[in-house]
Amino acid sequence: MGKQIIELAHATVRRLGTNILDDISFSVNEGEHVAIIGPNGAGKSTLVQVISEEIHPLYNPLSKRLLFGKDHWEVLELRKNLGIVSQSLQFLCNSSYSGWEITASGFFSSIGLDFHHRITTEQATKIEESLRFFDAWKLRDKQINRLSSGEARRILLSRACVHDPKVMLLDEAVANLDFPSRHQYRKELQLLDKKGKTIILATHELSEIIPEIERVIVMKQGKIIQDGPKTEIIREDILSDIYGAKVFVDQREGLFTAWC
């Protein structure tokens, strides 16, 4: 396992007087893969947004947020190290821009391209490489709002990877995908693992947790309740307690599923 690249200490996020994140401390090492699970409203997406600096925690003299060894970043520079795919991003990208334009916009942290964006030859090469890597080159001229959810997700992965980031932040990225698309998405996560990316995955769908992800964090009401090896955390007693209902768990070929 590599050096520590993400460290949060005593991070609290409050909205309308309620703690969405409640004194969270959390770290990730280079090359480590982490799945964050928990019920809706547990704080999973907020934690991801704190890591990406979309949201800032409350000031606390004990709090700390170190990303790649630094506590201050210019947003565009940070984006070169983080590849982000989320439901909210897919909603923002659901437009008449082409798959190529959406992918290219990853260089500018924008949604699509505008008149002042200029693509260099080197960037064009990286755009093509990223689209081909996710088998999305054939989608380059299609409007993203005319793609299936699975196709659009491949464009977003291509967009997230144009900078060749060190860390992939994936937030509820299988939402609205059918079974074949989920299978394809898991294969794409495994490709990211083979490329040496660090994967941080926030999900409520256990089948999204590929075998290569060995660490699982469980959140509830803005707190981290459990953090440890996947086989010790994804258990019926723990999940039943977290979700407040009897949960059944099955494991096949390295993948977990759960149901009530």
Side-chain angles (χ1 to χ4, degrees):
M1 196 66 64
K3 63 182 179 180
Q4 189 176 89
I5 54 175
I6 293 172
E7 182 183 4
L8 298 179
H10 302 289
T12 296
V13 174
R14 187 174 299 150
R15 291 183 193 144
L16 301 176
T18 299
N19 286 347
I20 308 300
L21 282 189
D22 192 355
D23 197 33
I24 291 284
S25 294
F26 168 79
S27 64
V28 178
N29 293 328
E30 186 175 27
E32 184 178 27
H33 303 327
V34 183
I36 305 168
I37 66 173
N40 291 337
K44 303 186 298 294
S45 294
T46 303
L47 177 56
V48 169
Q49 290 172 316
V50 168
I51 295 169
S52 65
E53 293 201 348
E54 295 173 66
I55 290 177
H56 299 286
L58 293 174
Y59 171 75
N60 177 336
L62 299 177
S63 67
K64 178 166 52 176
R65 175 171 54 184
L66 288 177
L67 306 175
F68 311 102
K70 294 171 55 176
D71 58 1
H72 288 90
W73 282 91
E74 294 291 337
V75 172
L76 288 178
E77 285 301 309
L78 179 59
R79 291 293 178 268
K80 293 178 183 178
N81 292 283
L82 295 175
I84 302 169
V85 179
S86 65
Q87 272 187 286
S88 59
L89 181 61
Q90 181 158 344
F91 177 78
L92 290 172
C93 289
N94 189 35
S95 63
S96 60
Y97 285 114
S98 69
W100 192 93
E101 290 171 317
I102 290 294
T103 302
S105 68
F107 284 113
F108 309 102
S109 292
S110 62
I111 305 299
L113 299 179
D114 209 338
F115 68 92
H116 62 281
H117 293 136
R118 296 289 183 267
I119 301 296
T120 66
T121 302
E122 181 183 5
Q123 287 172 333
T125 298
K126 290 182 177 180
I127 292 164
E128 180 174 350
E129 288 174 352
S130 194
L131 285 165
R132 288 191 183 279
F133 182 78
F134 291 107
D135 192 27
W137 182 244
K138 59 192 173 187
L139 305 173
R140 64 190 182 278
D141 295 323
K142 295 186 177 181
Q143 293 180 194
I144 195 166
N145 59 5
R146 297 192 176 183
L147 300 179
S148 70
S149 293
E151 290 171 332
R153 207 57 53 99
R154 277 148 60 195
I155 293 294
L156 291 184
L157 283 167
S158 301
R159 178 186 185 275
C161 286
V162 289
H163 278 303
D164 194 21
K166 298 175 183 176
V167 175
M168 296 296 294
L169 287 175
L170 308 167
D171 184 14
E172 305 288 7
V174 299
N176 304 319
L177 298 188
D178 58 19
F179 288 132
S181 296
R182 289 187 181 196
H183 175 71
Q184 178 64 30
Y185 178 68
R186 287 195 298 269
K187 288 172 61 178
E188 289 155 358
L189 292 186
Q190 290 174 312
L191 286 174
L192 292 172
D193 167 68
K194 289 176 181 176
K195 285 195 74 173
K197 307 299 184 189
T198 299
I199 299 172
I200 301 175
L201 178 76
T203 185
H204 65 270
E205 178 55 61
L206 295 187
S207 65
E208 188 179 354
I209 303 174
I210 58 174
E212 291 79 0
I213 297 175
E214 297 181 350
R215 176 184 171 195
V216 171
I217 287 173
V218 182
M219 295 189 68
K220 183 178 182 181
Q221 296 178 345
K223 292 181 176 292
I224 292 176
I225 305 299
Q226 298 279 349
D227 182 354
K230 175 172 54 182
T231 52
E232 296 179 12
I233 301 297
I234 302 180
R235 298 184 351 214
E236 292 183 351
D237 58 335
I238 290 176
L239 297 186
S240 296
D241 178 60
I242 293 300
Y243 287 94
K246 180 62 178 175
V247 175
F248 301 94
V249 174
D250 190 21
Q251 180 185 3
R252 299 188 184 188
E253 298 181 358
L255 297 174
F256 288 83
T257 56
W259 67 96
C260 289

